[in-house]
Amino acid sequence: MSALEDIRKYAPDAEESVVAAMEKTYALALRDADARQVSFSDQAELKTVRDNFVKGKLGVTDSDADIDAAIAKVGERVPGHKQRLTVYYLLAQHYGKLSVFGG
């Protein structure tokens, strides 16, 4: 299943151009099968999502606790294997930051 198809299960109006920009931005990480998924049981992984993606890439300045709650909410919304781009898209959408990727 493509990233766009997976994302559209949770965000039916997902913008193809935004997903394409995200795929280009994270192309190196997506080459590794392990890195294509976000492990919600790994606290170090969730810290990386918070610090590098939400704070670093999206520029969100909320408290760690608030960001962690938003990440957890996405984790609950997306059952089973959580594709990294799906998680990133939903977080960017949650924070109104799709424009970071041209949306």
Coordinates of all heavy atoms in Angstrom, one line a residue:
M1 N 0.8 -1.2 0.0 CA 0.0 0.0 0.0 C 0.9 1.2 0.0 O 1.8 1.3 0.8 CB -0.9 0.0 1.3 CG -1.7 1.2 1.4 SD -2.8 1.2 2.9 CE -3.7 -0.3 2.6
S2 N 0.5 2.2 -0.8 CA 1.3 3.4 -0.9 C 1.1 4.3 0.3 O 0.1 4.1 1.0 CB 0.9 4.2 -2.2 OG -0.3 4.8 -2.0
A3 N 2.0 5.2 0.6 CA 1.8 6.1 1.7 C 0.5 6.9 1.6 O -0.2 7.1 2.5 CB 3.0 7.0 1.8
L4 N 0.2 7.4 0.4 CA -1.0 8.2 0.1 C -2.2 7.4 0.5 O -3.1 7.9 1.1 CB -1.0 8.7 -1.3 CG -2.2 9.6 -1.6 CD1 -2.3 10.8 -0.8 CD2 -2.2 9.9 -3.1
E5 N -2.3 6.1 0.0 CA -3.4 5.3 0.3 C -3.6 5.1 1.8 O -4.7 5.1 2.3 CB -3.3 3.9 -0.4 CG -3.4 4.0 -1.9 CD -3.0 2.6 -2.5 OE1 -2.1 2.0 -2.1 OE2 -3.7 2.3 -3.5
D6 N -2.5 4.8 2.5 CA -2.6 4.6 4.0 C -3.0 5.9 4.7 O -3.9 5.9 5.5 CB -1.2 4.2 4.5 CG -1.3 3.7 6.0 OD1 -2.1 2.7 6.2 OD2 -0.7 4.3 6.8
I7 N -2.5 7.0 4.3 CA -2.8 8.3 4.9 C -4.3 8.6 4.6 O -5.0 9.0 5.6 CB -1.9 9.4 4.4 CG1 -0.5 9.2 4.9 CG2 -2.5 10.8 4.8 CD1 0.5 10.1 4.2
R8 N -4.8 8.3 3.5 CA -6.2 8.6 3.1 C -7.2 7.7 3.9 O -8.4 8.1 3.9 CB -6.4 8.5 1.6 CG -5.9 9.8 0.9 CD -6.3 9.9 -0.5 NE -5.9 11.2 -1.0 CZ -5.8 11.4 -2.3 NH1 -6.0 10.5 -3.2 NH2 -5.4 12.6 -2.7
K9 N -6.7 6.7 4.5 CA -7.6 5.9 5.4 C -8.0 6.7 6.6 O -9.1 6.6 7.2 CB -7.0 4.6 5.9 CG -6.8 3.6 4.8 CD -6.4 2.2 5.3 CE -5.1 2.2 6.0 NZ -4.6 0.9 6.3
Y10 N -7.2 7.7 7.0 CA -7.4 8.5 8.2 C -7.7 9.9 7.9 O -8.2 10.7 8.7 CB -6.2 8.4 9.1 CG -5.8 6.9 9.3 CD1 -4.7 6.4 8.7 CD2 -6.5 6.1 10.2 CE1 -4.4 5.0 8.8 CE2 -6.2 4.8 10.4 CZ -5.2 4.3 9.7 OH -4.8 2.9 9.8
A11 N -7.2 10.4 6.7 CA -7.4 11.8 6.3 C -7.8 11.7 4.8 O -7.0 11.8 3.9 CB -6.1 12.6 6.4
P12 N -9.1 11.4 4.5 CA -9.6 11.2 3.1 C -9.2 12.3 2.2 O -9.1 12.0 1.0 CB -11.1 11.0 3.3 CG -11.3 10.7 4.7 CD -10.2 11.3 5.5
D13 N -9.1 13.5 2.6 CA -8.7 14.6 1.8 C -7.2 14.9 1.7 O -6.9 16.0 1.3 CB -9.5 15.9 2.2 CG -11.0 15.7 2.1 OD1 -11.5 14.9 1.2 OD2 -11.7 16.3 2.9
A14 N -6.4 14.0 2.1 CA -5.0 14.2 2.1 C -4.5 14.7 0.7 O -4.9 14.2 -0.3 CB -4.2 12.9 2.5
E15 N -3.6 15.7 0.8 CA -3.1 16.3 -0.4 C -2.0 15.5 -1.0 O -1.0 15.3 -0.3 CB -2.7 17.7 -0.2 CG -3.8 18.6 0.3 CD -3.3 20.0 0.6 OE1 -2.6 20.6 -0.2 OE2 -3.7 20.5 1.7
E16 N -2.1 15.0 -2.2 CA -1.1 14.2 -2.9 C 0.2 15.0 -2.9 O 1.3 14.4 -2.7 CB -1.6 13.9 -4.3 CG -0.7 12.8 -4.9 CD -1.3 12.3 -6.2 OE1 -2.5 12.6 -6.5 OE2 -0.6 11.6 -6.9
S17 N 0.2 16.3 -3.2 CA 1.5 17.0 -3.3 C 2.2 17.1 -1.9 O 3.4 17.1 -1.9 CB 1.2 18.4 -3.8 OG 0.3 19.2 -2.9
V18 N 1.4 17.2 -0.9 CA 2.0 17.2 0.5 C 2.7 15.9 0.8 O 3.8 15.8 1.3 CB 1.0 17.6 1.6 CG1 1.5 17.4 3.0 CG2 0.5 19.0 1.4
V19 N 2.0 14.8 0.5 CA 2.5 13.4 0.7 C 3.8 13.2 -0.1 O 4.8 12.7 0.4 CB 1.5 12.4 0.4 CG1 2.1 11.0 0.6 CG2 0.3 12.5 1.4
A20 N 3.8 13.7 -1.4 CA 4.9 13.6 -2.2 C 6.1 14.4 -1.7 O 7.3 13.9 -1.7 CB 4.6 14.1 -3.7
A21 N 5.8 15.5 -1.2 CA 6.9 16.3 -0.6 C 7.5 15.7 0.7 O 8.7 15.7 0.9 CB 6.4 17.7 -0.2
M22 N 6.6 15.0 1.5 CA 7.0 14.3 2.7 C 7.9 13.1 2.3 O 8.9 12.8 2.9 CB 5.8 13.9 3.5 CG 5.1 15.0 4.2 SD 3.6 14.4 5.1 CE 4.4 14.3 6.7
E23 N 7.5 12.4 1.2 CA 8.2 11.2 0.7 C 9.6 11.7 0.3 O 10.6 11.0 0.6 CB 7.5 10.5 -0.4 CG 6.3 9.8 0.1 CD 5.5 9.1 -1.1 OE1 5.3 9.8 -2.1 OE2 5.1 8.0 -0.9
K24 N 9.7 12.8 -0.4 CA 11.0 13.3 -0.8 C 11.9 13.7 0.4 O 13.0 13.4 0.4 CB 10.8 14.5 -1.8 CG 12.0 15.0 -2.4 CD 11.7 16.1 -3.4 CE 13.0 16.7 -4.0 NZ 12.8 17.7 -4.9
T25 N 11.3 14.4 1.3 CA 12.0 14.9 2.5 C 12.6 13.7 3.3 O 13.7 13.8 3.8 CB 11.1 15.7 3.4 OG1 10.6 16.9 2.7 CG2 11.8 16.2 4.7
Y26 N 11.8 12.7 3.4 CA 12.2 11.5 4.3 C 12.6 10.3 3.5 O 12.6 9.2 4.0 CB 11.1 11.2 5.3 CG 10.8 12.3 6.2 CD1 9.7 13.2 6.0 CD2 11.7 12.6 7.2 CE1 9.5 14.3 6.9 CE2 11.6 13.7 8.0 CZ 10.5 14.5 7.8 OH 10.3 15.6 8.7
A27 N 13.0 10.5 2.2 CA 13.4 9.4 1.3 C 14.5 8.5 1.9 O 14.4 7.3 1.9 CB 13.9 9.9 0.0
L28 N 15.5 9.1 2.5 CA 16.6 8.3 3.1 C 16.1 7.4 4.2 O 16.4 6.2 4.3 CB 17.7 9.2 3.6 CG 18.6 9.8 2.5 CD1 19.6 10.7 3.1 CD2 19.3 8.7 1.7
A29 N 15.3 7.9 5.1 CA 14.8 7.2 6.2 C 13.8 6.1 5.8 O 13.8 5.0 6.3 CB 14.1 8.1 7.2
L30 N 13.1 6.4 4.7 CA 12.1 5.4 4.3 C 12.7 4.2 3.5 O 12.0 3.2 3.3 CB 11.1 6.1 3.4 CG 10.2 7.2 4.1 CD1 9.3 7.9 3.1 CD2 9.4 6.6 5.2
R31 N 14.0 4.3 3.2 CA 14.6 3.2 2.6 C 14.8 2.0 3.5 O 14.8 0.8 3.1 CB 16.0 3.6 2.1 CG 16.0 4.5 0.9 CD 17.4 4.8 0.4 NE 17.3 5.8 -0.7 CZ 18.3 6.4 -1.2 NH1 19.5 6.1 -0.7 NH2 18.2 7.3 -2.1
D32 N 14.9 2.3 4.8 CA 15.0 1.3 5.8 C 13.7 0.8 6.3 O 12.9 1.6 6.8 CB 15.9 1.8 7.0 CG 16.0 0.8 8.1 OD1 16.2 -0.4 7.8 OD2 16.0 1.2 9.3
A33 N 13.4 -0.5 6.1 CA 12.1 -1.0 6.5 C 11.7 -0.7 7.9 O 10.5 -0.4 8.2 CB 12.0 -2.5 6.3
D34 N 12.7 -0.8 8.8 CA 12.4 -0.5 10.2 C 12.0 1.0 10.4 O 11.2 1.3 11.2 CB 13.7 -0.8 11.1 CG 13.3 -1.5 12.3 OD1 12.3 -2.1 12.4 OD2 14.2 -1.4 13.3
A35 N 12.7 1.9 9.7 CA 12.4 3.3 9.9 C 11.1 3.7 9.2 O 10.7 4.8 9.5 CB 13.6 4.1 9.3
R36 N 10.5 2.9 8.4 CA 9.3 3.3 7.7 C 8.1 3.2 8.7 O 7.0 3.7 8.4 CB 8.9 2.3 6.6 CG 9.6 2.7 5.3 CD 9.2 1.8 4.2 NE 10.4 1.3 3.6 CZ 10.6 0.1 3.2 NH1 9.7 -0.8 3.4 NH2 11.8 -0.3 2.7
Q37 N 8.3 2.6 9.9 CA 7.3 2.5 10.9 C 7.7 3.3 12.2 O 8.8 3.4 12.4 CB 7.1 1.0 11.3 CG 7.0 0.1 10.1 CD 5.6 -0.3 9.8 OE1 4.8 -0.4 10.8 NE2 5.3 -0.7 8.6
V38 N 6.7 3.7 12.9 CA 6.9 4.4 14.2 C 6.4 3.4 15.2 O 5.3 2.9 15.2 CB 6.1 5.7 14.3 CG1 6.2 6.2 15.7 CG2 6.5 6.7 13.3
S39 N 7.4 3.0 16.1 CA 7.1 2.1 17.2 C 6.6 2.9 18.4 O 7.3 3.6 19.1 CB 8.3 1.3 17.6 OG 8.1 0.6 18.8
F40 N 5.3 2.8 18.7 CA 4.7 3.5 19.8 C 5.0 2.9 21.1 O 4.7 3.5 22.1 CB 3.2 3.7 19.5 CG 2.8 4.8 18.6 CD1 3.1 4.8 17.3 CD2 2.3 6.0 19.2 CE1 2.8 5.8 16.5 CE2 2.1 7.1 18.4 CZ 2.3 7.0 17.0
S41 N 5.6 1.8 21.1 CA 6.0 1.1 22.4 C 7.5 1.5 22.8 O 7.9 1.2 23.8 CB 5.9 -0.4 22.3 OG 6.7 -0.9 21.3
D42 N 8.2 2.2 21.9 CA 9.6 2.6 22.1 C 9.6 4.1 22.5 O 9.4 5.0 21.7 CB 10.3 2.3 20.9 CG 11.8 2.7 21.0 OD1 12.2 3.4 21.9 OD2 12.6 2.2 20.1
Q43 N 9.9 4.4 23.8 CA 9.9 5.8 24.3 C 10.9 6.6 23.6 O 10.7 7.8 23.3 CB 10.1 5.8 25.8 CG 8.9 5.2 26.5 CD 7.5 5.9 26.1 OE1 7.4 7.1 26.1 NE2 6.6 5.0 25.7
A44 N 12.1 6.0 23.2 CA 13.1 6.8 22.5 C 12.7 7.2 21.2 O 12.9 8.3 20.7 CB 14.4 5.9 22.4
E45 N 11.9 6.3 20.5 CA 11.4 6.6 19.2 C 10.4 7.8 19.3 O 10.4 8.7 18.5 CB 10.7 5.4 18.6 CG 9.8 5.7 17.4 CD 10.5 5.4 16.1 OE1 11.5 4.6 16.1 OE2 10.1 5.9 15.1
L46 N 9.5 7.7 20.3 CA 8.5 8.8 20.4 C 9.2 10.1 20.8 O 8.7 11.2 20.3 CB 7.5 8.4 21.5 CG 6.7 7.1 21.2 CD1 5.7 6.8 22.3 CD2 5.9 7.3 19.9
K47 N 10.2 10.1 21.5 CA 11.0 11.3 21.8 C 11.6 11.9 20.6 O 11.6 13.1 20.3 CB 12.1 11.0 22.9 CG 12.9 12.2 23.3 CD 14.0 11.9 24.3 CE 14.7 13.1 24.8 NZ 15.3 13.9 23.8
T48 N 12.1 11.0 19.7 CA 12.6 11.5 18.4 C 11.5 12.1 17.5 O 11.7 13.1 16.9 CB 13.3 10.3 17.7 OG1 14.3 9.8 18.5 CG2 13.8 10.7 16.3
V49 N 10.3 11.5 17.5 CA 9.2 12.1 16.7 C 8.9 13.4 17.3 O 8.7 14.4 16.6 CB 8.0 11.1 16.8 CG1 6.8 11.8 16.2 CG2 8.3 9.8 16.0
R50 N 8.8 13.5 18.6 CA 8.5 14.8 19.3 C 9.6 15.9 19.0 O 9.3 17.0 18.5 CB 8.4 14.6 20.8 CG 8.0 15.9 21.5 CD 8.1 15.8 23.0 NE 9.4 15.5 23.5 CZ 9.8 14.7 24.5 NH1 8.9 14.0 25.1 NH2 11.0 14.6 24.8
D51 N 10.8 15.5 19.3 CA 11.9 16.5 19.2 C 12.3 16.8 17.8 O 12.5 18.0 17.4 CB 13.1 16.0 20.0 CG 12.9 16.0 21.5 OD1 11.8 16.5 21.9 OD2 13.7 15.3 22.2
N52 N 12.5 15.8 16.9 CA 13.0 16.1 15.6 C 11.9 16.5 14.6 O 12.1 17.3 13.7 CB 13.7 14.8 15.0 CG 15.0 14.5 15.8 OD1 15.4 15.3 16.7 ND2 15.6 13.4 15.5
F53 N 10.7 15.8 14.7 CA 9.6 16.1 13.7 C 8.7 17.3 14.2 O 8.6 18.3 13.6 CB 8.8 14.9 13.4 CG 7.8 15.2 12.4 CD1 8.1 15.5 11.1 CD2 6.4 15.3 12.7 CE1 7.1 15.8 10.1 CE2 5.4 15.6 11.8 CZ 5.8 15.9 10.5
V54 N 8.1 17.1 15.4 CA 7.1 18.0 15.8 C 7.7 19.4 16.2 O 7.3 20.4 15.7 CB 6.2 17.5 17.0 CG1 5.2 18.5 17.4 CG2 5.5 16.2 16.6
K55 N 8.8 19.3 17.0 CA 9.4 20.6 17.4 C 10.4 21.1 16.3 O 10.3 22.3 15.9 CB 10.3 20.4 18.6 CG 9.4 20.2 19.9 CD 10.3 20.1 21.1 CE 9.6 20.2 22.4 NZ 10.5 20.1 23.5
G56 N 11.2 20.2 15.7 CA 12.2 20.6 14.8 C 11.7 21.0 13.4 O 11.9 22.1 12.9
K57 N 11.0 20.0 12.8 CA 10.5 20.3 11.4 C 9.2 21.1 11.4 O 9.1 22.1 10.6 CB 10.1 18.9 10.8 CG 9.8 19.0 9.3 CD 10.9 19.5 8.5 CE 10.6 19.5 7.0 NZ 11.7 20.0 6.2
L58 N 8.3 20.9 12.3 CA 7.0 21.6 12.3 C 7.1 23.0 13.1 O 6.3 23.8 12.9 CB 5.9 20.8 12.9 CG 5.5 19.5 12.2 CD1 4.3 18.8 12.8 CD2 5.3 19.7 10.7
G59 N 8.1 23.1 14.0 CA 8.3 24.3 14.7 C 7.3 24.5 15.9 O 7.1 25.6 16.3
V60 N 6.7 23.4 16.3 CA 5.7 23.5 17.4 C 6.4 23.8 18.7 O 7.5 23.2 19.1 CB 4.9 22.2 17.5 CG1 4.0 22.2 18.7 CG2 4.1 22.0 16.2
T61 N 5.9 24.7 19.5 CA 6.5 25.1 20.8 C 5.7 24.7 22.0 O 6.0 25.2 23.1 CB 6.8 26.7 20.8 OG1 5.5 27.3 20.6 CG2 7.8 27.1 19.7
D62 N 4.7 23.9 21.8 CA 3.9 23.4 23.0 C 4.8 22.6 23.9 O 6.0 22.2 23.6 CB 2.8 22.4 22.5 CG 1.8 23.1 21.6 OD1 1.9 24.4 21.4 OD2 0.8 22.5 21.2
S63 N 4.3 22.4 25.1 CA 5.1 21.6 26.1 C 5.3 20.2 25.6 O 4.5 19.7 24.8 CB 4.4 21.6 27.5 OG 3.2 20.8 27.4
D64 N 6.3 19.5 26.1 CA 6.5 18.1 25.8 C 5.3 17.3 26.1 O 4.9 16.4 25.3 CB 7.8 17.6 26.6 CG 9.1 18.1 26.0 OD1 9.1 18.8 25.0 OD2 10.1 17.8 26.6
A65 N 4.7 17.5 27.2 CA 3.5 16.8 27.6 C 2.4 16.9 26.6 O 1.7 15.9 26.3 CB 3.0 17.2 29.0
D66 N 2.1 18.1 26.2 CA 1.1 18.4 25.2 C 1.4 17.7 23.8 O 0.5 17.1 23.2 CB 0.8 19.9 25.0 CG 0.1 20.5 26.1 OD1 -0.4 19.8 27.0 OD2 0.1 21.8 26.2
I67 N 2.7 17.8 23.4 CA 3.1 17.1 22.2 C 3.0 15.6 22.3 O 2.5 14.9 21.4 CB 4.5 17.6 21.8 CG1 4.5 19.1 21.5 CG2 5.0 16.7 20.6 CD1 5.9 19.6 21.3
D68 N 3.4 15.1 23.5 CA 3.3 13.7 23.7 C 1.9 13.2 23.6 O 1.6 12.1 23.1 CB 3.9 13.3 25.0 CG 5.5 13.4 25.0 OD1 6.1 13.5 24.0 OD2 6.0 13.4 26.1
A69 N 1.0 14.0 24.2 CA -0.5 13.7 24.1 C -1.0 13.6 22.7 O -1.8 12.8 22.3 CB -1.3 14.7 25.0
A70 N -0.5 14.6 21.9 CA -0.9 14.6 20.5 C -0.4 13.4 19.7 O -1.1 12.8 18.9 CB -0.4 15.9 19.8
I71 N 0.8 13.0 20.0 CA 1.4 11.8 19.4 C 0.7 10.6 19.8 O 0.3 9.7 19.0 CB 2.9 11.7 19.7 CG1 3.7 12.9 19.1 CG2 3.5 10.3 19.3 CD1 5.1 13.0 19.6
A72 N 0.3 10.5 21.1 CA -0.4 9.3 21.6 C -1.8 9.3 20.9 O -2.3 8.2 20.6 CB -0.6 9.4 23.1
K73 N -2.4 10.4 20.7 CA -3.8 10.5 20.1 C -3.7 9.9 18.7 O -4.5 9.2 18.2 CB -4.3 11.9 20.1 CG -5.7 12.1 19.6 CD -6.1 13.5 19.8 CE -7.5 13.7 19.4 NZ -7.9 15.1 19.5
V74 N -2.6 10.3 17.9 CA -2.4 9.7 16.6 C -2.2 8.2 16.7 O -2.7 7.5 15.9 CB -1.2 10.4 15.9 CG1 -0.8 9.7 14.6 CG2 -1.6 11.9 15.5
G75 N -1.4 7.8 17.6 CA -1.2 6.4 17.8 C -2.5 5.6 18.1 O -2.6 4.4 17.6
E76 N -3.4 6.1 18.8 CA -4.7 5.5 19.1 C -5.5 5.5 17.8 O -6.3 4.5 17.6 CB -5.4 6.2 20.2 CG -4.7 6.1 21.5 CD -5.3 7.0 22.6 OE1 -6.3 7.7 22.3 OE2 -4.7 7.1 23.7
R77 N -5.4 6.5 17.0 CA -6.2 6.6 15.8 C -5.8 5.6 14.7 O -6.5 5.2 13.9 CB -6.1 8.1 15.3 CG -7.0 8.4 14.2 CD -6.9 9.9 14.0 NE -7.5 10.2 12.7 CZ -7.3 11.3 12.0 NH1 -6.5 12.3 12.5 NH2 -7.9 11.6 10.9
V78 N -4.5 5.3 14.7 CA -3.9 4.5 13.6 C -3.5 3.1 14.3 O -2.5 3.0 14.9 CB -2.6 5.2 13.0 CG1 -2.0 4.3 12.0 CG2 -3.0 6.5 12.5
P79 N -4.4 2.1 14.1 CA -4.1 0.8 14.7 C -3.0 0.0 14.0 O -2.7 0.3 12.8 CB -5.4 0.1 14.6 CG -6.1 0.7 13.4 CD -5.6 2.1 13.4
G80 N -2.4 -1.0 14.6 CA -1.5 -1.9 14.0 C -0.2 -1.2 13.6 O 0.3 -0.3 14.3
H81 N 0.3 -1.6 12.5 CA 1.6 -1.0 12.0 C 1.4 0.5 11.7 O 0.4 0.8 10.9 CB 2.1 -1.7 10.8 CG 2.5 -3.1 11.2 ND1 3.6 -3.5 11.9 CD2 1.9 -4.3 10.8 CE1 3.7 -4.8 12.1 NE2 2.7 -5.3 11.4
K82 N 2.2 1.3 12.2 CA 2.0 2.8 12.0 C 3.1 3.3 11.0 O 4.2 3.5 11.4 CB 2.1 3.5 13.3 CG 0.9 3.1 14.2 CD 1.2 3.2 15.6 CE 0.1 2.9 16.5 NZ -0.5 1.6 16.4
Q83 N 2.7 3.5 9.7 CA 3.6 4.0 8.8 C 4.1 5.4 9.2 O 3.3 6.3 9.6 CB 3.0 4.1 7.4 CG 2.8 2.7 6.7 CD 2.5 2.8 5.3 OE1 2.8 3.8 4.6 NE2 1.8 1.8 4.8
R84 N 5.4 5.7 9.1 CA 6.0 6.9 9.5 C 5.3 8.1 8.8 O 4.9 9.1 9.5 CB 7.5 7.0 9.3 CG 8.1 8.2 9.8 CD 9.6 8.1 9.8 NE 10.0 7.0 10.6 CZ 10.1 7.0 12.0 NH1 9.8 8.1 12.6 NH2 10.5 5.9 12.7
L85 N 5.1 8.0 7.5 CA 4.5 9.2 6.8 C 3.1 9.4 7.2 O 2.6 10.6 7.3 CB 4.6 9.0 5.3 CG 6.0 9.2 4.8 CD1 6.0 9.1 3.2 CD2 6.7 10.5 5.2
T86 N 2.3 8.4 7.6 CA 1.0 8.5 8.1 C 1.0 9.3 9.4 O 0.2 10.2 9.6 CB 0.3 7.2 8.2 OG1 0.3 6.5 6.9 CG2 -1.2 7.3 8.7
V87 N 1.8 8.9 10.3 CA 2.0 9.5 11.6 C 2.4 11.0 11.4 O 1.8 11.9 12.0 CB 3.0 8.8 12.5 CG1 3.3 9.5 13.8 CG2 2.4 7.4 12.8
Y88 N 3.4 11.2 10.6 CA 3.8 12.6 10.3 C 2.7 13.4 9.7 O 2.6 14.6 10.1 CB 5.1 12.6 9.4 CG 6.4 12.2 10.1 CD1 6.4 11.7 11.4 CD2 7.6 12.3 9.5 CE1 7.6 11.3 12.1 CE2 8.8 11.9 10.1 CZ 8.8 11.4 11.4 OH 9.9 11.1 12.0
Y89 N 2.0 12.9 8.7 CA 1.0 13.7 8.1 C -0.1 14.0 9.1 O -0.5 15.2 9.2 CB 0.4 12.9 6.9 CG -0.6 13.7 6.1 CD1 -0.2 14.3 4.9 CD2 -1.9 13.9 6.5 CE1 -1.0 15.1 4.2 CE2 -2.8 14.7 5.7 CZ -2.3 15.3 4.6 OH -3.2 16.1 3.8
L90 N -0.5 13.1 9.9 CA -1.6 13.3 10.9 C -1.1 14.3 11.9 O -1.9 15.2 12.4 CB -2.1 12.0 11.5 CG -2.8 11.1 10.5 CD1 -3.1 9.8 11.2 CD2 -4.0 11.7 9.9
L91 N 0.1 14.3 12.3 CA 0.6 15.3 13.3 C 0.7 16.6 12.6 O 0.3 17.6 13.2 CB 2.0 14.8 13.8 CG 2.0 13.7 14.8 CD1 3.4 13.2 15.1 CD2 1.4 14.2 16.1
A92 N 1.2 16.7 11.4 CA 1.2 18.0 10.7 C -0.2 18.6 10.5 O -0.4 19.8 10.7 CB 1.9 17.9 9.4
Q93 N -1.1 17.7 10.2 CA -2.5 18.1 10.1 C -3.1 18.6 11.4 O -3.7 19.7 11.5 CB -3.4 17.0 9.5 CG -4.8 17.3 9.3 CD -5.6 16.1 8.8 OE1 -5.5 15.1 9.4 NE2 -6.2 16.3 7.6
H94 N -2.8 17.9 12.5 CA -3.3 18.3 13.8 C -2.8 19.7 14.2 O -3.5 20.4 14.8 CB -2.7 17.2 14.8 CG -3.0 17.6 16.3 ND1 -4.2 17.5 16.9 CD2 -2.1 18.2 17.2 CE1 -4.1 17.9 18.1 NE2 -2.8 18.4 18.3
Y95 N -1.5 20.0 13.9 CA -1.0 21.2 14.3 C -1.2 22.3 13.2 O -0.7 23.5 13.4 CB 0.5 21.1 14.6 CG 0.8 20.5 15.9 CD1 1.2 19.1 16.0 CD2 0.5 21.1 17.1 CE1 1.5 18.5 17.2 CE2 0.7 20.5 18.3 CZ 1.2 19.3 18.4 OH 1.4 18.7 19.6
G96 N -1.9 22.0 12.1 CA -2.1 23.0 11.1 C -0.8 23.4 10.4 O -0.7 24.5 10.0
K97 N 0.1 22.4 10.2 CA 1.4 22.7 9.7 C 1.7 22.0 8.3 O 2.8 21.8 8.0 CB 2.5 22.3 10.7 CG 2.4 23.0 12.0 CD 3.0 24.4 11.9 CE 3.1 25.1 13.2 NZ 3.9 26.3 13.2
L98 N 0.6 21.6 7.6 CA 0.8 20.9 6.3 C 1.6 21.9 5.4 O 2.3 21.4 4.5 CB -0.5 20.5 5.7 CG -1.2 19.3 6.5 CD1 -2.6 19.0 5.9 CD2 -0.3 18.0 6.4
S99 N 1.5 23.2 5.6 CA 2.2 24.1 4.8 C 3.7 24.0 4.8 O 4.4 24.4 3.8 CB 1.8 25.6 5.2 OG 2.2 25.8 6.5
V100 N 4.2 23.3 5.8 CA 5.7 23.1 5.9 C 6.1 22.2 4.7 O 7.2 22.3 4.2 CB 6.0 22.4 7.2 CG1 7.4 21.8 7.2 CG2 5.8 23.3 8.4
F101 N 5.1 21.4 4.2 CA 5.4 20.5 3.1 C 4.7 21.0 1.8 O 4.4 20.2 0.9 CB 5.0 19.1 3.4 CG 5.7 18.5 4.6 CD1 5.1 18.6 5.8 CD2 7.0 18.0 4.4 CE1 5.8 18.1 6.9 CE2 7.7 17.5 5.5 CZ 7.1 17.6 6.8
G102 N 4.3 22.3 1.8 CA 3.7 22.8 0.6 C 2.1 22.8 0.6 O 1.5 23.1 -0.4
G103 N 1.5 22.3 1.7 CA 0.0 22.2 1.7 C -0.7 23.4 2.1 O -0.2 24.4 2.6

